[in-house]
Amino acid sequence: MTLPIRPSVLNSPDYPFSPVNAPVKLDQNESFADFPHELKAIALQRLQDLPWHRYTDLNAEALSTAIAAHDGWTASGTVVTTGSNVLIALLIQLCALGGRVVTVKPNFALYALDAKLLGAALSEVPLRPDMSLDMDAVIDTLGASAGEGPHGVIYIPRPHAPTGSLCALDELERLARACPGWLLVVDEAYHQFAPDDARELAQRHDHVVLLRTFSKAWGLAGVRLGYALASDAVARQLRKLVPPFGVSLLQTVCAQVALEHPGYVQERVAFTLLERERLAAALRAHPTWKALPSHANFLLIRTPDAAAAHADLLAQGVLVRRQDSLHGLQGCIRVTVGTADENSAFLRAAGLGA
């Protein structure tokens, strides 16, 4: 029997990840440390005291208000879901069904995967050889899409994953002015590790949306929570696509407790920046590996042979992520900035005593 499944789903690959166990896990850009024990205790106590047989807020209104207060945004423009990756698909549903998704390559796999799953046309603009964004080429691609029906969504990660590069804000301003009729989505999953963010840009332009997550600097990847900062007009329409009562009591309480105690995030980000520089400085002495400049909590490293580098590190108990299957990243591996001991273990495994 032939299953009644859309061809775009049947022809789409699975998400490109295979779990591997290792003593030192530096492959998924998670926080190097767990959610603080004392904050877990507060969250668990609140959960114990709250009713579990009642639905949560329809649209996570209380949590949206807390996030907005922390991020300097409006509660009405804050849309919360179970991970910012969910919002990537929802924004395509909002603006690009029958239209186009424009992004860069290499990129976060879900931009392209979700475009294909939802039947949107896909244009991927290669980064320059130095891994910087070619804004002229992006804008030219928008023009080439004119007259093809609904325009759609543009995804620009800032900082960029998997390279760690940072698009200049004035370049994003130029893109925002050049794309009326498009939704410009700036994915800020790693914004805490960068010197600035795009909130002012989004405040100036109603068609600009920012994506953020609790999975990186906040240390809550296992809770699965992300959100969009958008204009009130866009947020109102986006909420129609978010399942009602979709954010659980556990997610809400954990995030509220984190937002009430943001100091731990600032301390961890400061530590990560110092360790990122220590790794980068040590890697300059490597005879064949070259680390690219990064504004995130990871380093992309170009090696002569990514498969050999990955296997050699894993044999010594250190797991990193191969990136050599991505456009322009031949020989590349990616290493998350971990604890001081984990980073030292990585350097030793790389032949750089630490």
Side-chain angles (χ1 to χ4, degrees):
M1 172 179 146
T2 301
L3 294 174
I5 297 174
R6 290 187 295 114
S8 59
V9 177
L10 290 171
N11 297 330
S12 178
D14 295 331
Y15 183 76
F17 177 74
S18 298
V20 177
N21 291 321
V24 178
K25 186 179 184 301
L26 301 175
D27 66 324
Q28 285 189 280
N29 298 343
E30 299 143 322
S31 171
F32 66 85
D34 197 359
F35 193 50
H37 180 78
E38 61 274 19
L39 300 189
K40 283 187 179 181
I42 295 171
L44 290 171
Q45 183 59 59
R46 287 191 191 174
L47 283 167
Q48 208 168 19
D49 295 339
L50 289 170
W52 291 21
H53 65 301
R54 302 298 185 192
Y55 285 111
T56 55
D57 293 351
L58 176 65
N59 293 308
E61 288 89 352
L63 181 54
S64 296
T65 298
I67 291 171
H70 177 272
D71 284 21
W73 205 254
T74 63
S76 54
T78 304
V79 181
V80 188
T81 66
T82 56
S84 59
N85 55 349
V86 172
L87 285 160
I88 291 170
L90 292 182
L91 289 166
I92 295 172
Q93 293 179 45
L94 184 69
C95 296
L97 294 184
R100 180 172 294 272
V101 170
V102 173
T103 186
V104 297
K105 64 177 180 180
N107 59 25
F108 179 42
L110 280 183
Y111 306 144
L113 281 175
D114 283 341
K116 293 173 182 176
L117 284 168
L118 293 167
L122 175 66
S123 297
E124 295 177 292
V125 179
L127 296 181
R128 298 188 181 101
D130 66 355
M131 297 299 138
S132 63
L133 190 149
D134 188 342
M135 191 58 78
D136 289 334
V138 173
I139 292 173
D140 287 347
T141 298
L142 303 183
S145 299
E148 297 182 15
H151 285 321
V153 182
I154 307 164
Y155 284 106
I156 302 294
R158 186 181 189 273
H160 179 269
T163 68
S165 63
L166 193 71
C167 172
L169 287 173
D170 59 353
E171 285 287 270
L172 275 184
E173 176 71 37
R174 187 158 72 93
L175 177 57
R177 293 177 181 275
C179 67
W182 293 79
L183 197 70
L184 172 55
V185 181
V186 184
D187 191 338
E188 293 195 320
Y190 300 97
H191 75 93
Q192 290 98 333
F193 306 102
D196 52 33
D197 63 49
R199 279 176 298 177
E200 290 186 5
L201 176 82
Q203 288 167 347
R204 288 193 297 272
H205 300 282
D206 285 352
H207 65 301
V208 174
V209 175
L210 310 183
L211 297 186
R212 294 187 170 185
T213 180
F214 282 88
S215 293
K216 306 303 180 183
W218 290 97
L220 289 169
V223 171
R224 306 306 303 126
L225 199 64
Y227 57 97
L229 302 179
S231 64
D232 288 359
V234 169
R236 181 171 180 270
Q237 303 308 318
L238 179 58
R239 283 195 191 92
K240 296 176 182 179
L241 297 173
V242 177
F245 312 107
V247 177
S248 74
L249 190 64
L250 171 65
Q251 292 168 312
T252 298
V253 169
C254 288
Q256 286 174 331
V257 171
L259 290 162
E260 292 164 10
H261 302 84
Y264 82 94
V265 177
Q266 297 163 11
E267 293 172 3
R268 291 181 179 185
V269 167
F271 173 85
T272 297
L273 298 185
L274 289 173
E275 285 292 295
R276 185 181 73 192
E277 180 51 36
R278 179 168 79 93
L279 286 172
L283 284 163
R284 293 184 194 114
H286 198 286
T288 59
W289 294 9
K290 181 181 179 181
L292 278 65
S294 176
H295 295 278
N297 69 334
F298 58 82
L299 290 173
L300 185 73
I301 303 168
R302 197 176 292 277
T303 78
D305 186 333
H310 181 273
D312 185 52
L313 291 169
L314 187 57
Q316 300 176 74
V318 179
L319 177 63
V320 298
R321 188 79 170 264
R322 284 180 62 176
Q323 303 284 257
D324 53 316
S325 64
L326 301 180
H327 176 86
L329 300 188
Q330 295 79 9
C332 286
I333 59 174
R334 191 194 68 204
V335 57
T336 306
V337 180
T339 66
D341 287 345
E342 289 172 336
N343 297 333
S344 294
F346 164 76
L347 292 174
R348 286 192 298 272
L352 301 167

